[in-house]
C-alpha cells in the first residue's frame, strides 16, 4: 500500500509558465514533507520542505503548499526554466524520521 | 564539506553472486539510509543505520543486509543476486534528528 502517491508519471510545461507537481498521502501521522529533484545518473537533491504546522513554504521560484485536511501537497515552480527538467520526488516522514517516497514525476520544460 | 560518496559507481554481476556496496556519509552525519531505485519506481527504502545500529528497515528480503562502522561509514550487502536486483542503489546521510537527507551519486548494479 503506497502511503505517498504521485499520480502523474510525467508533466510537460512551457518554459516561463507555472509547473505544478502534486503529491497525496494517506498516513495522518506524517508531520514533515520534502521535495527532491533528481537528474539522470545523479542522487536526488533536496529542494524544499514543509512542516505540518504550516500550509505554505516559499524559496525563490519554488513554493510548497500543504492541505492537511485533503492530505495533499503540491510544488509550484514559477517561472519554469529548462534546467528544471528532472524527476521530482515527494517524501513524507513521521516522528521516526523514516522517509516514505512517492514514485516521482518527470517534469519536462519545453522551450 | 565533502558530500556523500558511494563506491563503486558501476557494478556488473551475475545471478547467484553476492555484492557489497559502500557509502561514506557527510562528515558529522551519523545516520545513513539505503534506497533502491528501479525504472518506473520511486525510491524504495531498504534500511537506516544510526550509530552502528539498524534503526529502521524496509520490506526487502533477508538477502539484503547492511552494517555501519564506528566512523559512520556503511556497507550494504546483497547475497544470491537475482535479475530483479538490477537497480540504482542510493545512500543518504543526515545529521541527528533531522528529516533532510543528502544523497550520494548511487551505485548502478546490473545483474546478468
Amino acid at each position: 500500500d503506497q502511503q505517498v502517491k504521485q499520480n502523474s508519471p510525467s508533466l510537460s510545461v512551457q518554459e516561463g509558465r507555472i509547473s505544478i507537481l502534486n503529491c497525496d498521502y494517506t498516513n495522518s501521522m506524517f508531520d514533515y514533507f520534502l521535495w527532491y529533484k533528481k537528474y539522470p545518473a545523479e542522487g536526488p537533491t533536496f529542494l524544499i520542505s514543509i512542516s505540518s504546522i504550516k500550509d505554505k513554504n516559499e524559496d525563490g521560484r519554488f513554493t510548497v503548499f500543504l492541505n492537511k485536511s485533503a492530505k495533499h501537497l503540491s510544488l509550484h515552480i514559477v517561472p519554469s526554466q529548462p534546467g528544471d527538467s528532472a524527476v521530482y520526488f515527494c517524501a513524507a516522514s513521521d516522528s521516526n524520521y523514516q522517509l516514505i517516497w512517492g514514485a516521482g514525476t518527470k517534469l519536462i520544460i519545453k522551450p | 564539506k565533502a558530500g556523500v560518496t558511494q563506491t563503486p559507481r558501476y557494478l556488473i554481476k551475475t545471478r547467484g553472486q553476492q555484492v557489497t556496496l559502500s557509502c561514506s556519509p557527510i562528515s558529522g552525519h551519523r545516520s545513513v539510509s539505503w534506497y533502491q531505485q528501479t525504472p518506473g519506481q520511486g525510491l524504495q527504502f531498504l534500511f537506516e543505520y544510526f550509530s552502528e545500529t539498524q534503526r529502521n528497515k524496509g520490506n526487502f528480503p533477508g538477502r539484503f543486509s547492511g552494517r555501519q562502522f564506528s566512523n559512520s561509514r556503511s556497507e550494504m550487502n546483497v547475497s544470491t543476486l537475482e535479475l530483479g536486483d538490477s537497480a540504482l542503489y542510493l545512500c543518504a546521510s543526515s545529521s541527528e534528528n533531522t528529516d533532510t537527507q543528502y544523497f550520494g551519486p548511487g551505485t548502478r548494479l546490473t545483474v546478468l
Side-chain angles (χ1 to χ4, degrees):
Chain A
D1 177 39
Q2 278 189 299
Q3 297 187 63
V4 178
K5 297 180 185 179
Q6 293 178 256
N7 292 317
S8 299
S10 66
L11 176 67
S12 189
V13 174
Q14 200 73 37
E15 181 180 357
R17 306 293 291 269
I18 182 172
S19 295
I20 300 176
L21 298 123
N22 294 303
C23 180
D24 297 295
Y25 61 96
T26 58
N27 189 341
S28 57
M29 297 303 292
F30 289 147
D31 57 9
Y32 197 71
F33 304 88
L34 308 92
W35 284 94
Y36 279 78
K37 173 180 176 180
K38 185 181 183 301
Y39 293 117
E42 294 182 13
T45 304
F46 170 72
L47 202 53
I48 192 169
S49 63
I50 188 167
S51 163
S52 60
I53 62 173
K54 293 186 174 183
D55 55 18
K56 176 183 174 181
N57 188 26
E58 193 171 352
D59 183 4
R61 296 186 299 115
F62 302 91
T63 303
V64 56
F65 295 93
L66 176 62
N67 183 334
K68 287 190 292 293
S69 60
K71 293 192 178 68
H72 176 84
L73 66 154
S74 60
L75 174 67
H76 293 211
I77 306 174
V78 183
S80 300
Q81 299 175 354
D84 296 330
S85 294
V87 177
Y88 289 78
F89 289 97
C90 159
S93 76
D94 56 20
S95 56
N96 289 325
Y97 300 106
Q98 179 181 332
L99 287 180
I100 309 297
W101 294 80
T105 296
K106 184 175 183 178
L107 176 64
I108 301 164
I109 305 300
K110 299 179 293 186
Chain B
K1 277 187 184 177
V4 178
T5 58
Q6 291 185 246
T7 56
R9 291 294 310 277
Y10 302 93
L11 205 50
I12 299 176
K13 292 285 189 178
T14 56
R15 278 181 299 176
Q17 287 187 308
Q18 68 93 28
V19 68
T20 299
L21 311 181
S22 181
C23 171
S24 292
I26 291 172
S27 176
H29 285 189
R30 295 164 64 189
S31 170
V32 173
S33 298
W34 287 90
Y35 296 87
Q36 180 196 67
Q37 188 191 9
T38 51
Q41 298 289 323
L43 293 166
Q44 304 293 318
F45 172 72
L46 281 153
F47 29 66
E48 182 210 0
Y49 284 87
F50 181 83
S51 291
E52 301 179 66
T53 301
Q54 189 179 84
R55 186 159 72 172
N56 285 304
K57 188 177 188 301
N59 296 321
F60 277 79
R63 299 186 297 108
F64 293 81
S65 63
R67 59 178 176 168
Q68 187 179 33
F69 302 95
S70 58
N71 61 358
S72 294
R73 189 177 71 84
S74 177
E75 287 183 346
M76 190 191 93
N77 185 275
V78 188
S79 62
T80 321
L81 283 166
E82 300 176 0
L83 294 179
D85 296 333
S86 294
L88 179 69
Y89 290 87
L90 291 160
C91 159
S93 77
S94 62
S95 56
E96 194 167 348
N97 295 334
T98 179
D99 297 286
T100 305
Q101 297 186 327
Y102 298 86
F103 284 80
T107 294
R108 171 73 62 186
L109 172 64
T110 302
V111 182
L112 303 175

